[in-house]
Amino acid sequence: MTPKNFDTSRRSVVGGLATGLVAAVGSPAFAQQAAAPGAAGAAATASPLRNPATEYPRPPFAKQEQEWPGLAGRMDPRPDHGETSYKGSGRLAGRRALLTGGDSGIGRAAAIAFAREGADVAFNYLPAEEPDAREVVELIRAEGRKAVPLPGDIRDEAFCGRLVADAVRELGGLDILVNNAAKQHTVPRLADLTTEQFDQTFKTNVYAMFWITKAALPHLAAGASIINTSSVNAYDPSETLLDYAATKAAIMNFTKGLAKQLAKDGIRVNAVAPGPFWTPLQPSGGQPPEKLVEFGGDTPIGRPGQPAELAPVYVLLASQEASYVTGQVYGAVGGRGGP
Ligand code: NAD
Ligand code: MG
């Protein structure tokens, strides 16, 4: 090997490494540019640095309240789910994904990103959320991917079974499952926390995850990925969200146990644990309206996250590139805490 040849091959190894690192970090814009051979160097100049502390809306926010389950389309400002910003790079080409809570918030951001990465997407939501769901269907179809809207209430075990069966039939199989739907309703005092709410929160957040995952498992092959949405509340519970925080701890624990059980089958199971994110969950009972005005202001970054900022994490956990990532919890709390 001549020195010249050595240099050339070394450069391509370094270039390949850089591409892999960029992909692993999950910055979609960078990943797309770096994917072109020889473009890794150009990517740094093509995409200018942006300051995450000054990007996106910050508190104080306008006082607002919505009836549960809330609509993204009625929030002020509207959440950014990556509608105009997320750029895919074929990382989930041909994959088939089912998400719960895919109409709005973090689930919508993941649904948009999955479609732009080449996946067909089925998603569940409540019938009252049809206006949000319509927008997601249009966004997925705009990418030339199949969108399968599946409305219904996941507090019902029989429905959860039908949800998985319908998704599998419409998509022709299943490779990615995202258990993301949740109920969060703030109650300041334990004395006022009703058995009914306690039960509904656990049905939505924990039982449905169990029912849907159990129904999906026979359809998942080696290489499949399960992603559950937990919360900072799993390890740093809010004093006014006792029922919700307990479900999020259960989700984290279930994730880690199931990951061990399924590792030998080649199915990875991970969780995402967000801090404050600007989604309809919060103005529809998740926060008292006066607290929502300052939402996210107590994080080091000084603002809530936007759903678009979590989409690359769901893509990474779903993708083959994360083949050694299982039983993990990815925290996103704006600079504080961690699972
Ligand atoms: P969101 O309101 O946009 O999404 C929650 C979704 O849950 C709703 O869109 C709804 O479709 C679904 N849902 C609720 N009850 C249901 C039921 N009975 N049947 C079917 N669907 C039902 O809010 P989001 O913040 O994007 O929530 C997504 C996930 O993120 C949740 O698991 C939530 O706990 C988690 N999370 C959110 C935050 C935050 O600050 N927004 C922080 C930590 C964790
Ligand atoms: Mg919604």
Side-chain angles (χ1 to χ4, degrees), residues 263-288:
K264 62 182 177 313
D265 300 322
I267 298 170
R268 296 178 300 106
V269 191
N270 293 287
V272 179
F277 272 75
W278 190 248
T279 73
L281 191 77
Q282 305 299 356
S284 65
Q287 299 286 325

Side-chain angles (χ1 to χ4, degrees), residues 13-212:
V13 168
V14 173
L17 254 184
T19 306
L21 280 175
V22 163
V25 168
S27 169
F30 275 72
Q32 193 175 45
Q33 288 161 15
T45 48
S47 181
L49 284 172
R50 301 195 324 256
N51 183 349
T54 53
E55 271 198 308
Y56 297 115
R58 337 171 48 81
F61 295 106
K63 205 164 177 186
Q64 55 199 288
E65 215 173 342
Q66 290 191 45
E67 216 171 284
W68 179 82
L71 289 175
R74 290 205 195 131
M75 288 184 75
D76 173 24
R78 277 189 70 133
D80 183 347
H81 306 92
E83 285 90 343
T84 60
S85 58
Y86 191 91
K87 293 187 178 67
S89 55
R91 294 170 71 189
L92 301 176
R95 296 283 194 270
R96 300 153 301 182
L98 168 64
L99 304 94
T100 60
D103 58 299
S104 60
I106 294 163
R108 181 199 285 215
I112 293 170
F114 284 4
R116 292 193 183 159
E117 295 290 353
D120 290 333
V121 180
F123 68 97
N124 167 250
Y125 55 97
L126 286 162
E129 298 173 301
E130 195 61 41
D132 275 356
R134 282 286 116 208
E135 292 181 3
V136 177
V137 166
E138 278 172 30
L139 285 157
I140 295 168
R141 290 185 182 155
E143 299 307 314
R145 305 313 313 176
K146 187 165 188 178
V148 185
L150 297 169
D153 193 327
I154 59 171
R155 289 171 292 191
D156 176 36
E157 182 173 8
F159 173 75
C160 289
R162 285 200 301 279
L163 172 65
V164 171
D166 289 350
V168 167
R169 190 187 62 248
E170 294 297 319
L171 297 174
L174 194 60
D175 309 302
I176 301 163
L177 171 64
V178 181
N179 290 300
N180 167 74
K183 176 179 173 61
Q184 174 185 326
H185 195 93
T186 182
V187 177
R189 290 170 355 114
L190 182 65
D192 299 322
L193 179 55
T194 63
T195 299
E196 193 205 353
Q197 173 169 328
F198 196 84
D199 188 52
Q200 296 302 302
T201 306
F202 270 80
K203 284 269 158 45
T204 311
N205 301 7
V206 180
Y207 280 69
M209 170 187 66
F210 162 58
W211 291 327
I212 292 169

Side-chain angles (χ1 to χ4, degrees), residues 286-313:
Q287 299 286 325
E290 63 280 4
K291 268 185 129 181
L292 192 66
V293 172
E294 293 303 326
F295 192 62
D298 62 348
T299 62
I301 208 164
R303 62 168 178 84
Q306 292 293 326
E309 297 180 276
L310 262 188
V313 174

